[in-house]
Amino acid sequence: QVQLVESGGGLVQPGGSLRLSCAASRSIFSFYVMGWYRQAPGKQRELVAVITIGGGSTNYADFVKGRFTISRDNAKNTMYLQMNSLQPEDTAVYYCHAGTGPRDYWGQGTQVTVSS
């Protein structure tokens, strides 16, 4: 069992930036894949980005490519999402996720609101 806690969300103007953090309650070395998801009101939860341990491989959803950067610091048991050039359509609750298959874990989410 592991607990994941997101932080760093908030209110920003269009074009602004935020950095989200996901802190795990124990070592994340066992999680080959970790990722960020988001869910806007009335929408399904959708994948934003994923990252693997091996070679620091990353993949991004098309709607964030070139704007967001996912990273992880295994020694600190923390994953990050740097979000630049934020737009109103990025408004959502952002969730940290760890693991694959039937045994995986979710954080409680952090609200990101992009509005002028």
Short mmCIF file of all heavy atoms in Angstrom, two decimals, residues 43-111:
data_model
loop_
_atom_site.label_atom_id
_atom_site.label_comp_id
_atom_site.label_asym_id
_atom_site.label_seq_id
_atom_site.Cartn_x
_atom_site.Cartn_y
_atom_site.Cartn_z
N LYS A 43 -16.48 15.68 -17.53
CA LYS A 43 -15.60 14.97 -18.45
C LYS A 43 -15.03 13.71 -17.78
O LYS A 43 -15.00 13.60 -16.56
CB LYS A 43 -14.44 15.86 -18.88
CG LYS A 43 -14.83 17.10 -19.66
CD LYS A 43 -14.96 16.80 -21.13
CE LYS A 43 -15.08 18.08 -21.93
NZ LYS A 43 -15.06 17.82 -23.40
N GLN A 44 -14.59 12.77 -18.60
CA GLN A 44 -13.90 11.60 -18.09
C GLN A 44 -12.48 11.96 -17.67
O GLN A 44 -11.89 12.91 -18.18
CB GLN A 44 -13.83 10.50 -19.14
CG GLN A 44 -15.14 9.84 -19.49
CD GLN A 44 -14.94 8.63 -20.36
OE1 GLN A 44 -14.52 7.57 -19.88
NE2 GLN A 44 -15.22 8.77 -21.64
N ARG A 45 -11.94 11.19 -16.75
CA ARG A 45 -10.55 11.36 -16.40
C ARG A 45 -9.68 10.96 -17.60
O ARG A 45 -9.91 9.93 -18.23
CB ARG A 45 -10.21 10.50 -15.19
CG ARG A 45 -8.83 10.77 -14.60
CD ARG A 45 -8.66 10.07 -13.26
NE ARG A 45 -9.60 10.55 -12.26
CZ ARG A 45 -9.61 10.17 -10.99
NH1 ARG A 45 -8.71 9.30 -10.56
NH2 ARG A 45 -10.53 10.66 -10.16
N GLU A 46 -8.70 11.79 -17.92
CA GLU A 46 -7.88 11.55 -19.09
C GLU A 46 -6.40 11.60 -18.75
O GLU A 46 -5.97 12.31 -17.84
CB GLU A 46 -8.19 12.55 -20.20
CG GLU A 46 -7.92 14.00 -19.83
CD GLU A 46 -8.35 14.98 -20.91
OE1 GLU A 46 -8.76 14.54 -22.01
OE2 GLU A 46 -8.28 16.20 -20.66
N LEU A 47 -5.63 10.84 -19.50
CA LEU A 47 -4.19 10.79 -19.31
C LEU A 47 -3.55 12.09 -19.77
O LEU A 47 -3.85 12.60 -20.85
CB LEU A 47 -3.60 9.62 -20.09
CG LEU A 47 -2.08 9.48 -20.07
CD1 LEU A 47 -1.58 9.10 -18.68
CD2 LEU A 47 -1.63 8.43 -21.09
N VAL A 48 -2.63 12.61 -18.96
CA VAL A 48 -1.86 13.80 -19.31
C VAL A 48 -0.46 13.41 -19.74
O VAL A 48 0.01 13.81 -20.80
CB VAL A 48 -1.81 14.80 -18.14
CG1 VAL A 48 -0.91 15.98 -18.48
CG2 VAL A 48 -3.21 15.28 -17.78
N ALA A 49 0.23 12.64 -18.91
CA ALA A 49 1.60 12.25 -19.19
C ALA A 49 1.99 11.06 -18.33
O ALA A 49 1.46 10.89 -17.24
CB ALA A 49 2.58 13.41 -18.94
N VAL A 50 2.92 10.25 -18.83
CA VAL A 50 3.46 9.13 -18.06
C VAL A 50 4.97 9.14 -18.13
O VAL A 50 5.56 9.69 -19.07
CB VAL A 50 2.92 7.77 -18.56
CG1 VAL A 50 1.42 7.66 -18.33
CG2 VAL A 50 3.25 7.56 -20.03
N ILE A 51 5.59 8.51 -17.15
CA ILE A 51 7.05 8.44 -17.09
C ILE A 51 7.47 7.09 -16.54
O ILE A 51 6.84 6.55 -15.64
CB ILE A 51 7.62 9.60 -16.25
CG1 ILE A 51 9.15 9.61 -16.30
CG2 ILE A 51 7.12 9.53 -14.80
CD1 ILE A 51 9.77 10.88 -15.74
N THR A 52 8.55 6.53 -17.09
CA THR A 52 9.10 5.27 -16.64
C THR A 52 10.47 5.48 -16.03
O THR A 52 11.13 6.49 -16.25
CB THR A 52 9.22 4.27 -17.80
OG1 THR A 52 10.09 4.81 -18.80
CG2 THR A 52 7.86 3.98 -18.41
N ILE A 53 10.90 4.50 -15.24
CA ILE A 53 12.22 4.58 -14.62
C ILE A 53 13.32 4.40 -15.67
O ILE A 53 14.27 5.17 -15.72
CB ILE A 53 12.39 3.52 -13.52
CG1 ILE A 53 11.43 3.78 -12.37
CG2 ILE A 53 13.82 3.51 -13.01
CD1 ILE A 53 11.47 2.71 -11.30
N GLY A 54 13.17 3.38 -16.50
CA GLY A 54 14.19 3.04 -17.47
C GLY A 54 14.42 4.14 -18.50
O GLY A 54 13.55 4.43 -19.33
N GLY A 55 15.59 4.76 -18.44
CA GLY A 55 15.96 5.79 -19.39
C GLY A 55 15.17 7.08 -19.29
O GLY A 55 15.32 7.95 -20.15
N GLY A 56 14.36 7.21 -18.26
CA GLY A 56 13.56 8.41 -18.11
C GLY A 56 12.59 8.61 -19.26
O GLY A 56 12.29 9.75 -19.64
N SER A 57 12.07 7.54 -19.81
CA SER A 57 11.15 7.62 -20.94
C SER A 57 9.85 8.29 -20.53
O SER A 57 9.32 8.04 -19.45
CB SER A 57 10.85 6.22 -21.48
OG SER A 57 12.03 5.59 -21.94
N THR A 58 9.35 9.14 -21.41
CA THR A 58 8.12 9.87 -21.16
C THR A 58 7.21 9.84 -22.37
O THR A 58 7.66 9.71 -23.50
CB THR A 58 8.39 11.33 -20.79
OG1 THR A 58 9.10 11.98 -21.86
CG2 THR A 58 9.22 11.43 -19.52
N ASN A 59 5.91 9.96 -22.12
CA ASN A 59 4.92 10.09 -23.16
C ASN A 59 3.88 11.11 -22.73
O ASN A 59 3.54 11.18 -21.55
CB ASN A 59 4.24 8.75 -23.47
CG ASN A 59 5.17 7.76 -24.12
OD1 ASN A 59 5.74 6.89 -23.47
ND2 ASN A 59 5.33 7.90 -25.44
N TYR A 60 3.37 11.87 -23.70
CA TYR A 60 2.44 12.94 -23.41
C TYR A 60 1.20 12.85 -24.27
O TYR A 60 1.27 12.43 -25.43
CB TYR A 60 3.09 14.30 -23.66
CG TYR A 60 4.27 14.60 -22.78
CD1 TYR A 60 5.56 14.24 -23.17
CD2 TYR A 60 4.11 15.24 -21.55
CE1 TYR A 60 6.65 14.51 -22.36
CE2 TYR A 60 5.20 15.51 -20.74
CZ TYR A 60 6.46 15.15 -21.14
OH TYR A 60 7.55 15.41 -20.35
N ALA A 61 0.09 13.28 -23.70
CA ALA A 61 -1.11 13.45 -24.50
C ALA A 61 -0.89 14.57 -25.51
O ALA A 61 -0.13 15.51 -25.25
CB ALA A 61 -2.30 13.80 -23.60
N ASP A 62 -1.53 14.46 -26.67
CA ASP A 62 -1.32 15.45 -27.72
C ASP A 62 -1.63 16.87 -27.27
O ASP A 62 -0.97 17.82 -27.71
CB ASP A 62 -2.18 15.10 -28.94
CG ASP A 62 -1.67 13.89 -29.71
OD1 ASP A 62 -0.50 13.52 -29.52
OD2 ASP A 62 -2.45 13.33 -30.50
N PHE A 63 -2.61 17.02 -26.40
CA PHE A 63 -3.03 18.36 -26.03
C PHE A 63 -2.08 19.08 -25.08
O PHE A 63 -2.28 20.26 -24.79
CB PHE A 63 -4.46 18.34 -25.45
CG PHE A 63 -4.67 17.36 -24.33
CD1 PHE A 63 -4.28 17.66 -23.03
CD2 PHE A 63 -5.29 16.14 -24.58
CE1 PHE A 63 -4.49 16.76 -22.00
CE2 PHE A 63 -5.50 15.23 -23.55
CZ PHE A 63 -5.09 15.54 -22.26
N VAL A 64 -1.04 18.39 -24.60
CA VAL A 64 -0.07 19.05 -23.72
C VAL A 64 1.36 18.99 -24.26
O VAL A 64 2.26 19.59 -23.64
CB VAL A 64 -0.09 18.47 -22.29
CG1 VAL A 64 -1.47 18.61 -21.68
CG2 VAL A 64 0.37 17.01 -22.28
N LYS A 65 1.58 18.33 -25.38
CA LYS A 65 2.92 18.23 -25.94
C LYS A 65 3.51 19.61 -26.21
O LYS A 65 2.88 20.48 -26.79
CB LYS A 65 2.89 17.42 -27.24
CG LYS A 65 2.74 15.92 -27.03
CD LYS A 65 2.76 15.17 -28.36
CE LYS A 65 2.65 13.68 -28.14
NZ LYS A 65 2.59 12.93 -29.42
N GLY A 66 4.74 19.80 -25.76
CA GLY A 66 5.42 21.07 -25.93
C GLY A 66 5.13 22.07 -24.85
O GLY A 66 5.78 23.13 -24.80
N ARG A 67 4.19 21.79 -23.98
CA ARG A 67 3.83 22.71 -22.90
C ARG A 67 4.11 22.14 -21.51
O ARG A 67 4.49 22.88 -20.61
CB ARG A 67 2.35 23.09 -22.98
CG ARG A 67 1.95 23.79 -24.27
CD ARG A 67 0.54 24.35 -24.17
NE ARG A 67 -0.46 23.29 -24.00
CZ ARG A 67 -1.36 23.25 -23.01
NH1 ARG A 67 -1.38 24.21 -22.10
NH2 ARG A 67 -2.24 22.26 -22.95
N PHE A 68 3.90 20.84 -21.34
CA PHE A 68 4.07 20.20 -20.03
C PHE A 68 5.30 19.30 -20.04
O PHE A 68 5.65 18.71 -21.07
CB PHE A 68 2.85 19.34 -19.68
CG PHE A 68 1.58 20.09 -19.42
CD1 PHE A 68 1.46 21.45 -19.65
CD2 PHE A 68 0.47 19.41 -18.93
CE1 PHE A 68 0.28 22.12 -19.41
CE2 PHE A 68 -0.72 20.07 -18.68
CZ PHE A 68 -0.81 21.44 -18.92
N THR A 69 5.93 19.16 -18.87
CA THR A 69 7.07 18.28 -18.71
C THR A 69 6.90 17.44 -17.45
O THR A 69 6.73 17.99 -16.36
CB THR A 69 8.39 19.06 -18.62
OG1 THR A 69 8.56 19.86 -19.80
CG2 THR A 69 9.57 18.10 -18.52
N ILE A 70 6.94 16.12 -17.61
CA ILE A 70 6.84 15.23 -16.47
C ILE A 70 8.23 14.78 -16.05
O ILE A 70 9.11 14.58 -16.90
CB ILE A 70 5.94 14.01 -16.80
CG1 ILE A 70 5.67 13.17 -15.55
CG2 ILE A 70 6.54 13.17 -17.91
CD1 ILE A 70 4.62 12.08 -15.77
N SER A 71 8.46 14.63 -14.77
CA SER A 71 9.74 14.17 -14.26
C SER A 71 9.52 13.46 -12.93
O SER A 71 8.45 13.54 -12.33
CB SER A 71 10.72 15.33 -14.09
OG SER A 71 10.24 16.28 -13.16
N ARG A 72 10.54 12.73 -12.48
CA ARG A 72 10.45 12.06 -11.19
C ARG A 72 11.82 12.01 -10.54
O ARG A 72 12.84 11.90 -11.22
CB ARG A 72 9.86 10.65 -11.32
CG ARG A 72 10.69 9.69 -12.15
CD ARG A 72 9.93 8.41 -12.49
NE ARG A 72 9.82 7.50 -11.37
CZ ARG A 72 9.17 6.33 -11.42
NH1 ARG A 72 8.55 5.96 -12.52
NH2 ARG A 72 9.14 5.55 -10.34
N ASP A 73 11.82 12.09 -9.22
CA ASP A 73 13.02 11.98 -8.42
C ASP A 73 12.80 10.80 -7.50
O ASP A 73 12.15 10.92 -6.46
CB ASP A 73 13.28 13.26 -7.64
CG ASP A 73 14.62 13.25 -6.94
OD1 ASP A 73 15.14 12.16 -6.63
OD2 ASP A 73 15.16 14.35 -6.68
N ASN A 74 13.33 9.65 -7.89
CA ASN A 74 13.08 8.43 -7.13
C ASN A 74 13.66 8.50 -5.72
O ASN A 74 13.10 7.94 -4.79
CB ASN A 74 13.65 7.23 -7.88
CG ASN A 74 12.94 6.96 -9.19
OD1 ASN A 74 11.75 7.22 -9.34
ND2 ASN A 74 13.67 6.44 -10.17
N ALA A 75 14.78 9.18 -5.56
CA ALA A 75 15.39 9.31 -4.24
C ALA A 75 14.52 10.10 -3.29
O ALA A 75 14.56 9.89 -2.07
CB ALA A 75 16.77 9.95 -4.35
N LYS A 76 13.72 11.02 -3.83
CA LYS A 76 12.82 11.84 -3.02
C LYS A 76 11.39 11.31 -3.01
O LYS A 76 10.51 11.93 -2.41
CB LYS A 76 12.82 13.28 -3.53
CG LYS A 76 14.15 14.00 -3.36
CD LYS A 76 14.05 15.43 -3.85
CE LYS A 76 15.37 16.17 -3.66
NZ LYS A 76 15.30 17.56 -4.14
N ASN A 77 11.17 10.20 -3.69
CA ASN A 77 9.84 9.59 -3.78
C ASN A 77 8.80 10.58 -4.29
O ASN A 77 7.66 10.63 -3.81
CB ASN A 77 9.40 9.04 -2.41
CG ASN A 77 10.31 7.96 -1.90
OD1 ASN A 77 10.94 7.24 -2.68
ND2 ASN A 77 10.39 7.82 -0.58
N THR A 78 9.19 11.36 -5.29
CA THR A 78 8.34 12.44 -5.77
C THR A 78 8.33 12.49 -7.29
O THR A 78 9.36 12.32 -7.95
CB THR A 78 8.81 13.79 -5.21
OG1 THR A 78 8.84 13.73 -3.78
CG2 THR A 78 7.85 14.90 -5.63
N MET A 79 7.16 12.76 -7.84
CA MET A 79 6.97 12.98 -9.27
C MET A 79 6.47 14.41 -9.48
O MET A 79 5.76 14.94 -8.63
CB MET A 79 5.97 11.98 -9.84
CG MET A 79 5.71 12.13 -11.33
SD MET A 79 4.56 10.87 -11.98
CE MET A 79 3.05 11.30 -11.10
N TYR A 80 6.83 15.00 -10.61
CA TYR A 80 6.48 16.39 -10.88
C TYR A 80 5.81 16.54 -12.24
O TYR A 80 6.00 15.73 -13.15
CB TYR A 80 7.73 17.27 -10.87
CG TYR A 80 8.55 17.16 -9.61
CD1 TYR A 80 9.62 16.28 -9.52
CD2 TYR A 80 8.25 17.95 -8.50
CE1 TYR A 80 10.37 16.19 -8.37
CE2 TYR A 80 8.99 17.86 -7.34
CZ TYR A 80 10.06 16.98 -7.28
OH TYR A 80 10.80 16.89 -6.13
N LEU A 81 5.06 17.61 -12.38
CA LEU A 81 4.51 18.02 -13.67
C LEU A 81 4.67 19.52 -13.79
O LEU A 81 3.99 20.28 -13.10
CB LEU A 81 3.04 17.63 -13.80
CG LEU A 81 2.40 17.94 -15.16
CD1 LEU A 81 3.00 17.06 -16.25
CD2 LEU A 81 0.88 17.76 -15.11
N GLN A 82 5.58 19.94 -14.66
CA GLN A 82 5.76 21.35 -14.95
C GLN A 82 4.80 21.73 -16.07
O GLN A 82 4.86 21.15 -17.16
CB GLN A 82 7.20 21.65 -15.37
CG GLN A 82 7.46 23.10 -15.76
CD GLN A 82 7.32 24.05 -14.59
OE1 GLN A 82 7.84 23.78 -13.51
NE2 GLN A 82 6.61 25.15 -14.80
N MET A 83 3.94 22.69 -15.82
CA MET A 83 2.92 23.10 -16.77
C MET A 83 3.16 24.54 -17.18
O MET A 83 3.10 25.45 -16.35
CB MET A 83 1.53 22.94 -16.18
CG MET A 83 1.24 21.53 -15.66
SD MET A 83 -0.48 21.33 -15.11
CE MET A 83 -0.49 22.46 -13.71
N ASN A 84 3.43 24.75 -18.46
CA ASN A 84 3.65 26.07 -19.01
C ASN A 84 2.57 26.40 -20.04
O ASN A 84 1.89 25.51 -20.54
CB ASN A 84 5.03 26.16 -19.66
CG ASN A 84 6.16 25.91 -18.71
OD1 ASN A 84 6.10 26.29 -17.54
ND2 ASN A 84 7.22 25.27 -19.19
N SER A 85 2.45 27.67 -20.37
CA SER A 85 1.48 28.13 -21.36
C SER A 85 0.08 27.59 -21.09
O SER A 85 -0.61 27.11 -21.99
CB SER A 85 1.94 27.73 -22.77
OG SER A 85 3.21 28.27 -23.06
N LEU A 86 -0.32 27.67 -19.85
CA LEU A 86 -1.62 27.14 -19.46
C LEU A 86 -2.76 27.89 -20.12
O LEU A 86 -2.71 29.11 -20.27
CB LEU A 86 -1.77 27.18 -17.95
CG LEU A 86 -0.96 26.12 -17.20
CD1 LEU A 86 -0.82 26.49 -15.73
CD2 LEU A 86 -1.63 24.75 -17.34
N GLN A 87 -3.79 27.17 -20.49
CA GLN A 87 -4.97 27.71 -21.13
C GLN A 87 -6.21 27.32 -20.35
O GLN A 87 -6.19 26.38 -19.57
CB GLN A 87 -5.08 27.20 -22.57
CG GLN A 87 -3.90 27.57 -23.45
CD GLN A 87 -3.71 29.07 -23.57
OE1 GLN A 87 -4.67 29.81 -23.79
NE2 GLN A 87 -2.47 29.53 -23.44
N PRO A 88 -7.33 28.04 -20.54
CA PRO A 88 -8.55 27.73 -19.79
C PRO A 88 -8.98 26.27 -19.91
O PRO A 88 -9.52 25.72 -18.94
CB PRO A 88 -9.59 28.67 -20.41
CG PRO A 88 -8.78 29.85 -20.84
CD PRO A 88 -7.49 29.28 -21.35
N GLU A 89 -8.76 25.64 -21.05
CA GLU A 89 -9.14 24.25 -21.22
C GLU A 89 -8.30 23.28 -20.40
O GLU A 89 -8.62 22.10 -20.31
CB GLU A 89 -9.10 23.84 -22.70
CG GLU A 89 -7.78 24.13 -23.39
CD GLU A 89 -7.77 25.45 -24.14
OE1 GLU A 89 -8.35 26.43 -23.63
OE2 GLU A 89 -7.19 25.50 -25.25
N ASP A 90 -7.23 23.77 -19.78
CA ASP A 90 -6.43 22.95 -18.87
C ASP A 90 -7.03 22.88 -17.48
O ASP A 90 -6.54 22.14 -16.63
CB ASP A 90 -5.00 23.48 -18.78
CG ASP A 90 -4.25 23.39 -20.10
OD1 ASP A 90 -4.35 22.34 -20.77
OD2 ASP A 90 -3.55 24.36 -20.45
N THR A 91 -8.07 23.66 -17.23
CA THR A 91 -8.72 23.67 -15.93
C THR A 91 -9.27 22.29 -15.61
O THR A 91 -10.06 21.73 -16.38
CB THR A 91 -9.84 24.70 -15.89
OG1 THR A 91 -9.29 26.02 -16.04
CG2 THR A 91 -10.60 24.64 -14.57
N ALA A 92 -8.86 21.72 -14.48
CA ALA A 92 -9.26 20.38 -14.09
C ALA A 92 -8.66 20.05 -12.73
O ALA A 92 -7.82 20.79 -12.22
CB ALA A 92 -8.79 19.35 -15.12
N VAL A 93 -9.10 18.94 -12.18
CA VAL A 93 -8.42 18.36 -11.03
C VAL A 93 -7.36 17.41 -11.57
O VAL A 93 -7.66 16.55 -12.39
CB VAL A 93 -9.39 17.60 -10.10
CG1 VAL A 93 -8.62 16.94 -8.96
CG2 VAL A 93 -10.44 18.55 -9.56
N TYR A 94 -6.14 17.59 -11.13
CA TYR A 94 -5.02 16.79 -11.61
C TYR A 94 -4.67 15.73 -10.57
O TYR A 94 -4.51 16.02 -9.39
CB TYR A 94 -3.81 17.68 -11.90
CG TYR A 94 -3.95 18.43 -13.19
CD1 TYR A 94 -4.86 19.49 -13.30
CD2 TYR A 94 -3.20 18.09 -14.32
CE1 TYR A 94 -5.02 20.17 -14.50
CE2 TYR A 94 -3.35 18.77 -15.52
CZ TYR A 94 -4.26 19.81 -15.60
OH TYR A 94 -4.41 20.49 -16.79
N TYR A 95 -4.56 14.48 -11.04
CA TYR A 95 -4.33 13.34 -10.17
C TYR A 95 -3.01 12.65 -10.46
O TYR A 95 -2.63 12.47 -11.63
CB TYR A 95 -5.44 12.30 -10.34
CG TYR A 95 -6.81 12.77 -9.94
CD1 TYR A 95 -7.66 13.36 -10.86
CD2 TYR A 95 -7.26 12.61 -8.63
CE1 TYR A 95 -8.93 13.79 -10.50
CE2 TYR A 95 -8.52 13.03 -8.26
CZ TYR A 95 -9.35 13.62 -9.20
OH TYR A 95 -10.61 14.04 -8.84
N CYS A 96 -2.34 12.25 -9.42
CA CYS A 96 -1.14 11.43 -9.51
C CYS A 96 -1.53 9.96 -9.53
O CYS A 96 -2.45 9.54 -8.83
CB CYS A 96 -0.25 11.72 -8.30
SG CYS A 96 1.23 10.71 -8.16
N HIS A 97 -0.84 9.17 -10.35
CA HIS A 97 -1.11 7.75 -10.47
C HIS A 97 0.18 6.97 -10.49
O HIS A 97 1.17 7.40 -11.08
CB HIS A 97 -1.91 7.47 -11.75
CG HIS A 97 -2.21 6.02 -11.97
ND1 HIS A 97 -1.46 5.23 -12.83
CD2 HIS A 97 -3.17 5.22 -11.45
CE1 HIS A 97 -1.95 4.01 -12.82
NE2 HIS A 97 -2.98 3.97 -11.99
N ALA A 98 0.17 5.80 -9.85
CA ALA A 98 1.35 4.95 -9.81
C ALA A 98 0.96 3.50 -10.01
O ALA A 98 -0.05 3.04 -9.45
CB ALA A 98 2.09 5.10 -8.48
N GLY A 99 1.73 2.79 -10.81
CA GLY A 99 1.52 1.37 -11.01
C GLY A 99 0.72 1.06 -12.25
O GLY A 99 0.16 1.94 -12.91
N THR A 100 0.68 -0.23 -12.57
CA THR A 100 -0.08 -0.73 -13.71
C THR A 100 -0.84 -1.98 -13.30
O THR A 100 -0.60 -2.56 -12.24
CB THR A 100 0.84 -1.06 -14.90
OG1 THR A 100 1.80 -2.04 -14.51
CG2 THR A 100 1.56 0.19 -15.39
N GLY A 101 -1.75 -2.41 -14.15
CA GLY A 101 -2.49 -3.62 -13.91
C GLY A 101 -3.50 -3.46 -12.78
O GLY A 101 -3.95 -2.35 -12.48
N PRO A 102 -3.86 -4.57 -12.13
CA PRO A 102 -4.92 -4.52 -11.12
C PRO A 102 -4.52 -3.82 -9.83
O PRO A 102 -5.40 -3.45 -9.04
CB PRO A 102 -5.21 -6.00 -10.86
CG PRO A 102 -3.93 -6.69 -11.18
CD PRO A 102 -3.36 -5.93 -12.35
N ARG A 103 -3.23 -3.65 -9.59
CA ARG A 103 -2.77 -3.00 -8.37
C ARG A 103 -2.15 -1.65 -8.71
O ARG A 103 -0.99 -1.58 -9.11
CB ARG A 103 -1.78 -3.89 -7.63
CG ARG A 103 -1.42 -3.39 -6.24
CD ARG A 103 -0.59 -4.40 -5.48
NE ARG A 103 -0.30 -3.97 -4.12
CZ ARG A 103 0.35 -4.69 -3.22
NH1 ARG A 103 0.78 -5.91 -3.54
NH2 ARG A 103 0.57 -4.21 -2.01
N ASP A 104 -2.93 -0.60 -8.55
CA ASP A 104 -2.43 0.74 -8.79
C ASP A 104 -2.99 1.69 -7.74
O ASP A 104 -3.86 1.34 -6.95
CB ASP A 104 -2.75 1.21 -10.21
CG ASP A 104 -4.23 1.20 -10.52
OD1 ASP A 104 -5.03 0.80 -9.67
OD2 ASP A 104 -4.58 1.60 -11.65
N TYR A 105 -2.48 2.92 -7.76
CA TYR A 105 -2.79 3.88 -6.70
C TYR A 105 -3.06 5.26 -7.27
O TYR A 105 -2.48 5.66 -8.28
CB TYR A 105 -1.63 3.94 -5.70
CG TYR A 105 -1.27 2.60 -5.12
CD1 TYR A 105 -0.31 1.80 -5.71
CD2 TYR A 105 -1.92 2.12 -3.98
CE1 TYR A 105 0.02 0.55 -5.19
CE2 TYR A 105 -1.61 0.87 -3.46
CZ TYR A 105 -0.64 0.10 -4.06
OH TYR A 105 -0.33 -1.13 -3.54
N TRP A 106 -3.93 5.99 -6.59
CA TRP A 106 -4.30 7.35 -6.99
C TRP A 106 -4.14 8.32 -5.83
O TRP A 106 -4.38 7.97 -4.67
CB TRP A 106 -5.76 7.41 -7.45
CG TRP A 106 -6.04 6.67 -8.71
CD1 TRP A 106 -6.47 5.38 -8.82
CD2 TRP A 106 -5.93 7.17 -10.05
NE1 TRP A 106 -6.63 5.05 -10.15
CE2 TRP A 106 -6.31 6.13 -10.92
CE3 TRP A 106 -5.55 8.40 -10.58
CZ2 TRP A 106 -6.32 6.28 -12.30
CZ3 TRP A 106 -5.55 8.55 -11.96
CH2 TRP A 106 -5.94 7.50 -12.80
N GLY A 107 -3.75 9.55 -6.13
CA GLY A 107 -3.76 10.61 -5.15
C GLY A 107 -5.14 11.22 -5.04
O GLY A 107 -6.07 10.83 -5.75
N GLN A 108 -5.28 12.21 -4.15
CA GLN A 108 -6.58 12.83 -3.92
C GLN A 108 -6.90 13.92 -4.93
O GLN A 108 -8.05 14.35 -5.05
CB GLN A 108 -6.64 13.41 -2.51
CG GLN A 108 -6.05 14.81 -2.34
CD GLN A 108 -4.54 14.87 -2.47
OE1 GLN A 108 -3.85 13.85 -2.43
NE2 GLN A 108 -4.00 16.07 -2.62
N GLY A 109 -5.91 14.37 -5.67
CA GLY A 109 -6.10 15.39 -6.68
C GLY A 109 -5.80 16.79 -6.18
O GLY A 109 -5.95 17.09 -5.01
N THR A 110 -5.38 17.64 -7.11
CA THR A 110 -5.16 19.05 -6.82
C THR A 110 -5.80 19.89 -7.93
O THR A 110 -5.67 19.58 -9.11
CB THR A 110 -3.66 19.37 -6.67
OG1 THR A 110 -3.49 20.74 -6.27
CG2 THR A 110 -2.89 19.13 -7.96
N GLN A 111 -6.51 20.94 -7.55
CA GLN A 111 -7.26 21.75 -8.50
C GLN A 111 -6.36 22.73 -9.22
O GLN A 111 -5.60 23.46 -8.60
CB GLN A 111 -8.38 22.52 -7.79
CG GLN A 111 -9.18 23.45 -8.69
CD GLN A 111 -10.07 22.71 -9.66
OE1 GLN A 111 -10.79 21.79 -9.26
NE2 GLN A 111 -10.02 23.09 -10.94
#
